[in-house]
Amino acid sequence: MNSLRMTSADEITMRLVHYFVTKENYQPIVVNGLENEIWLENTEKRYEVIRINSNYIHNDEQLNFDMFKAKAVIKQIKRKMFSLNCNTLNIMLNVSDNVTSLDSGYKHMDIVKVDATKTLDKEENITSLFPDIVNDKIDSLDDMDFFINVTQDINKSTEKKNRLYEKTFKKKTIVVTYALIVINTLIFMLELLGLVNINYFATSPTAIRAGHYWVILTSAFLHADIIHLVCNMWSLYIIGTQLETVLGKVKFLVVYFVSAIVASLLSGVLTGGAAIGASGAIFGLIGALLYFGYHYRLYLGNVIIRQLVPVVILNLLIGFSLSNVDNFGHIGGLLGGVFSAMMVGVEGKSEKSDIINGVIISLTLIVFLLYMILR
């Protein structure tokens, strides 16, 4: 039985990957067609992308070609991250002394040359950036033991992330979205029977000033006709089922109601007329999906760019071209959705400071709009 023998470059590569994945919470990026290099990402860090490259760079011409390849990959990553800039650390393990300069020619990429014949604690180029890397000890008896321990640690770290992704995206029983569709439909039937007075429950600055504060929310459950109802309920079904799946029922409800409130208030401030319909709340769900997608932009970037953003732009353009569409309510709902999603947070992604900021912004916006109407 042959024992595993690792080169010094293999060992230092595994130590680097071990540190960045288990201590700095980076995760691998799948890049097809490249050999002897590993790409990692963490959008919350100073370096959003780290490249560990063990390809042999013999001279300046090879370095230039290597930079060309790296920039092509970064260009793809930037599109998915919605980023004009992508701060990248390019760690190069096998650079000849014939290379005269390690200038990438790209101001958002720093190159660090690491001598694979040294141990990481002796390599000042990397320890100056990540001082804690010297404390990342890996006990091992031999190369095989080292390989097994590193692999197990990395698998444990990525397993936690995979469990979070599975929990977030796995198919769930939809309850709240269907309940809202049923409630809206029942209320519309009561409207047809003359049991619900639209004028009494529609939102308007006059009604709010008269102390009828309930209209800020009840208006989101009223519809002018069957076409209005069907269009909104179809949109609620398509968007609501997706958002309820990834956010959860309670957070979904918070987003829906906050979006409806902000939509009603902004409509009242900017139009001054009466308004009804669930479209403001539905735009809020789109806003929340945009906020959620931003946190998973490396995976959902194409979906957001090709599906959600065009839907928002198209609907706003249609709204501005038609006289009977309350586009300011739509914009208010969109803003309410983004800020309320920030307020409830994205599990495993949002920081406590983000949630606090979301609460402050949402409450401030509601109070300000209400003040503008009441004054």
Side-chain angles (χ1 to χ4, degrees):
M1 180 177 178
N2 295 324
S3 61
L4 176 67
R5 293 289 183 185
M6 292 192 301
T7 65
S8 56
D10 292 334
E11 179 181 346
I12 205 165
T13 298
M14 294 194 72
R15 287 187 180 276
L16 288 168
V17 174
H18 180 271
Y19 171 75
F20 287 121
V21 172
T22 64
K23 299 300 188 295
E24 297 288 336
N25 293 318
Y26 281 82
Q27 54 190 4
I29 304 174
V30 176
V31 181
N32 297 323
L34 300 179
E35 297 181 355
N36 302 320
E37 53 188 277
I38 297 172
W39 291 76
L40 307 169
E41 65 88 16
N42 185 337
T43 55
E44 308 300 325
K45 295 292 186 178
R46 170 190 170 189
Y47 290 111
E48 298 162 283
V49 172
I50 291 179
R51 178 200 191 204
I52 304 172
N53 181 17
S54 59
N55 285 299
Y56 180 58
I57 307 298
H58 176 66
N59 52 34
D60 291 337
E61 287 74 17
Q62 280 191 324
L63 178 65
N64 292 334
F65 181 69
D66 185 75
M67 290 301 101
F68 174 79
K69 291 191 303 178
K71 290 175 188 176
V73 175
I74 292 170
K75 186 176 180 180
Q76 298 176 34
I77 295 173
K78 283 198 300 183
R79 282 200 299 265
K80 293 183 177 181
M81 297 172 95
F82 306 143
S83 177
L84 296 176
N85 304 318
C86 181
N87 291 326
T88 303
L89 179 64
N90 192 351
I91 303 175
M92 310 193 76
L93 306 180
N94 201 356
V95 179
S96 169
D97 292 335
N98 294 326
V99 176
T100 59
S101 173
L102 288 179
D103 182 9
S104 67
Y106 178 49
K107 65 179 180 179
H108 298 290
M109 179 191 290
D110 292 336
I111 298 179
V112 171
K113 177 182 176 181
V114 173
D115 188 344
T117 63
K118 296 181 180 179
T119 57
L120 280 180
D121 58 340
K122 303 293 185 183
E123 185 53 71
E124 294 182 357
N125 288 337
I126 195 71
T127 55
S128 62
L129 294 172
F130 303 97
D132 292 340
I133 201 168
V134 298
N135 300 320
D136 188 30
K137 305 296 183 182
I138 305 169
D139 297 327
S140 61
L141 299 174
D142 52 32
D143 286 352
M144 178 61 77
D145 193 36
F146 174 83
F147 178 81
I148 292 173
N149 290 339
V150 169
T151 303
Q152 287 179 341
D153 288 346
I154 292 174
N155 287 341
K156 286 179 183 177
S157 180
T158 55
E159 185 181 352
K160 292 179 182 177
K161 296 184 180 72
N162 291 336
R163 283 200 300 267
L164 174 62
Y165 298 155
E166 182 180 353
K167 178 184 177 182
T168 300
F169 292 103
K170 75 176 181 180
K171 188 176 181 180
K172 302 178 181 73
T173 302
I174 303 301
V175 175
V176 176
T177 299
Y178 294 152
L180 288 170
I181 292 174
V182 170
I183 292 171
N184 276 276
T185 304
L186 288 176
I187 291 176
F188 181 72
M189 293 174 65
L190 294 176
E191 289 178 40
L192 295 179
L193 295 172
L195 299 177
V196 171
N197 186 343
I198 291 182
N199 294 327
Y200 187 73
F201 291 102
T203 186
S204 70
T206 302
I208 295 172
R209 292 190 192 107
H212 300 172
Y213 295 109
W214 59 83
V215 301
I216 297 172
L217 195 55
T218 57
S219 60
F221 292 90
L222 303 174
H223 291 85
D225 51 47
I226 188 66
I227 295 177
H228 190 199
L229 175 73
V230 170
C231 289
N232 277 346
M233 292 307 98
W234 175 250
S235 300
L236 177 57
Y237 168 74
I238 297 297
I239 300 166
T241 50
Q242 295 182 45
L243 188 65
E244 185 176 344
T245 295
V246 297
L247 275 193
K249 296 171 177 56
V250 174
K251 292 182 178 180
F252 176 88
L253 267 178
V254 172
V255 168
Y256 190 87
F257 286 123
V258 171
S259 301
I261 291 170
V262 176
S264 294
L265 291 175
L266 188 64
S267 172
V269 170
L270 297 179
T271 67
I276 59 174
S279 55
I282 294 168
F283 262 82
L285 302 184
I286 296 175
L289 269 179
L290 289 171
Y291 182 81
F292 174 87
Y294 178 79
H295 283 280
Y296 284 94
R297 56 192 180 276
L298 200 62
Y299 308 97
L300 301 177
N302 289 333
V303 175
I304 294 173
I305 292 174
R306 295 177 183 176
Q307 297 182 28
L308 281 181
V309 171
V311 166
V312 172
I313 295 174
L314 179 62
N315 276 276
L316 290 177
L317 289 175
I318 292 173
F320 281 118
S321 65
L322 300 176
S323 59
N324 62 336
V325 176
D326 183 10
N327 231 13
F328 291 114
H330 294 169
I331 294 172
L334 192 68
L335 293 174
V338 172
F339 295 139
S340 59
M342 183 189 300
M343 179 174 67
V344 300
V346 177
E347 186 176 356
K349 295 289 185 178
S350 296
E351 301 288 340
K352 187 176 181 180
S353 60
D354 296 330
I355 295 173
I356 294 173
N357 289 336
V359 172
I360 293 173
I361 294 172
S362 297
L363 292 177
T364 301
L365 180 60
I366 291 172
V367 171
F368 172 75
L369 292 175
L370 187 58
Y371 165 77
M372 292 296 293
I373 291 175
L374 293 176
R375 76 169 188 161

